C-alpha cells in the first residue's frame, strides 16, 4: 500500500501510523522524525529546522521534498510506504506526484484524520515524551504508571517546547491555510478517505482498515 496520512497536529497521526505499518508491513516515513533526528545531531539543517519548529513554522518545501525523494528511493519502500507529515501543501503534493512518477510508484489512498481543534489543543498540551526512547504519553488519556517516568525504559518524561497552547494555535492556523486544501485536492482524484478521529486510537485504526479494504 502506498499511503498518505493527513491530519492536523495532535490528530493522532503518530499512533495511527504505528498501527498501520504493522498491519500492512510498510515503512512509516515521517518528515517530523527526519527533522528531529537532524536536530538531535545538530546538523546545519537541524539548526534551521529547530528554530522554525519551535516557532510553529514549517521547513521550506525544497528541503523537505529532497529529503522525501531520497527516502522513497530506498529499498524498503518498493512494496509500499506510509507518508506522515508530507505533503503539507499543494506545491508539495504536485512535487510528490513527480517524485512518484519518476520512481515508478502510484499512490493508493490518502487518509485524513478529522478531529475537533479544541480536542487537539487538549491532547497536545498534555502530551509527554520519553527523553530517551521517544515513547509517547498523555496526562489525560495515556498516563505513565509512575508520574514523570517512562514505562518502557524508566527515563524522565519531557514536554516538547512547542507543545504549548500558543504554538499549537499557530500551527493549527497554518495547517488550515496550507494543508487543508489537500483534502479537496485528493478528493477530486478519488484518493481521499476521511476518518473521524475524535474517539479512541483503536477506534480510529479500525475505521481506517475497514475503509482501505476497497483500495486493496
Amino acid at each position: 500500500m502506498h499511503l498518505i496520512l493527513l491530519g492536523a497536529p495532535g490528530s493522532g497521526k503518530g499512533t495511527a501510523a504505528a498501527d498501520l505499518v504493522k498491519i500492512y508491513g510498510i515503512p512509516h516515513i515521517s518528515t517530523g522524525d527526519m527533522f528531529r533526528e537532524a536536530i538531535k545531531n545538530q546538523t546545519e539543517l537541524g539548526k534551521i529546522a529547530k528554530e522554525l519548529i519551535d516557532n510553529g513554522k514549517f521547513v521550506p518545501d525544497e528541503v523537505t521534498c529532497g529529503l522525501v525523494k531520497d527516502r522513497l528511493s530506498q529499498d524498503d519502500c518498493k512494496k509500499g510506504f506510509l507518508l506522515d507529515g508530507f505533503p503539507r501543501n499543494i506545491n508539495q503534493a504536485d512535487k510528490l506526484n513527480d517524485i512518484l512518477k519518476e520512481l515508478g510508484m502510484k499512490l493508493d489512498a490518502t487518509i485524513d484524520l478529522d478531529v475537533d481543534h479544541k480536542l487537539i489543543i487538549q491532547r497536545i498540551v498534555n502530551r509527554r515524551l520519553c527523553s530517551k526512547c521517544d515513547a509517547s504519553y498523555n496526562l489525560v488519556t495515556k498516563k505513565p504508571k509512575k508520574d514523570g517516568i517512562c514505562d518502557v525504559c524508566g527515563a524522565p518524561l519531557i514536554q516538547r517546547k512547542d507543545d504549548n497552547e500558543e504554538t499549537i494555535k499557530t500551527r493549527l492556523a497554518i495547517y488550515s491555510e496550507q494543508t487543508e486544501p489537500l483534502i479537496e485536492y485528493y478528493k477530486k482524484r478519488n484518493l481521499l478517505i476521511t476518518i473521524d478521529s475524535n474517539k479512541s486510537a483503536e477506534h480510529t485504526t479500525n475505521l481506517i482498515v475497514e475503509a482501505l479494504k476497497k483500495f486493496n
Side-chain angles (χ1 to χ4, degrees), residues 104-118:
M105 296 177 174
K106 184 179 180 181
L107 186 65
D108 290 306
T110 297
I111 304 158
D112 175 45
L113 301 185
D114 185 24
V115 188
D116 182 86
H117 282 195
K118 289 183 180 179

Side-chain angles (χ1 to χ4, degrees), residues 150-165:
C150 177
D151 295 347
V152 179
C153 68
L157 300 182
I158 60 172
Q159 182 178 28
R160 279 170 43 182
K161 185 177 179 180
D162 55 328
D163 281 356
N164 61 77
E165 187 167 347

Side-chain angles (χ1 to χ4, degrees), residues 171-214:
R171 293 175 68 195
L172 287 173
I174 294 172
Y175 179 84
S176 295
E177 179 184 351
Q178 298 185 3
T179 308
E180 281 188 351
L182 289 173
I183 296 172
E184 187 64 26
Y185 180 94
Y186 286 112
K187 184 177 181 180
K188 288 181 178 179
R189 289 160 176 76
N190 296 316
L191 291 170
L192 184 72
I193 299 172
T194 300
I195 300 294
D196 180 352
S197 190
N198 287 288
K199 298 181 181 179
S200 70
E202 182 180 2
H203 183 258
T204 296
T205 298
N206 289 339
L207 289 177
I208 295 171
V209 171
E210 185 63 30
L212 282 174
K213 288 181 180 178
K214 67 178 182 179

Side-chain angles (χ1 to χ4, degrees), residues 50-197:
K50 185 178 188 305
E51 183 177 355
L52 291 167
I53 293 170
D54 283 350
N55 287 285
K57 298 179 181 179
F58 298 128
V59 177
D61 286 354
E62 60 270 20
V63 176
T64 306
C65 291
L67 193 68
V68 170
K69 181 179 179 180
D70 288 344
R71 182 65 185 87
L72 293 182
S73 300
Q74 296 178 22
D75 288 342
D76 64 338
C77 292
K78 289 182 178 179
K79 294 184 179 180
F81 55 75
L82 177 67
L83 276 171
D84 171 10
F86 182 92
R88 290 190 186 277
N89 54 50
I90 299 297
N91 181 54
Q92 288 185 358
D94 287 338
K95 289 183 181 298
L96 176 60
N97 290 339
D98 294 337
I99 291 170
L100 293 178
K101 184 177 181 180
E102 184 177 339
L103 297 176
M105 296 177 174
K106 184 179 180 181
L107 186 65
D108 290 306
T110 297
I111 304 158
D112 175 45
L113 301 185
D114 185 24
V115 188
D116 182 86
H117 282 195
K118 289 183 180 179
L119 179 57
I120 285 176
I121 292 172
Q122 182 187 60
R123 285 178 178 178
I124 293 183
V125 296
N126 287 290
R127 181 167 61 184
R128 299 294 184 271
L129 300 174
C130 177
S131 56
K132 184 177 181 180
C133 72
D134 290 330
S136 179
Y137 300 87
N138 188 284
L139 301 183
V140 176
T141 60
K142 188 184 176 184
K143 296 181 181 180
K145 294 177 182 177
K146 185 177 180 180
D147 288 348
I149 300 298
C150 177
D151 295 347
V152 179
C153 68
L157 300 182
I158 60 172
Q159 182 178 28
R160 279 170 43 182
K161 185 177 179 180
D162 55 328
D163 281 356
N164 61 77
E165 187 167 347
E166 183 178 353
T167 300
I168 295 163
K169 287 181 176 179
T170 298
R171 293 175 68 195
L172 287 173
I174 294 172
Y175 179 84
S176 295
E177 179 184 351
Q178 298 185 3
T179 308
E180 281 188 351
L182 289 173
I183 296 172
E184 187 64 26
Y185 180 94
Y186 286 112
K187 184 177 181 180
K188 288 181 178 179
R189 289 160 176 76
N190 296 316
L191 291 170
L192 184 72
I193 299 172
T194 300
I195 300 294
D196 180 352
S197 190

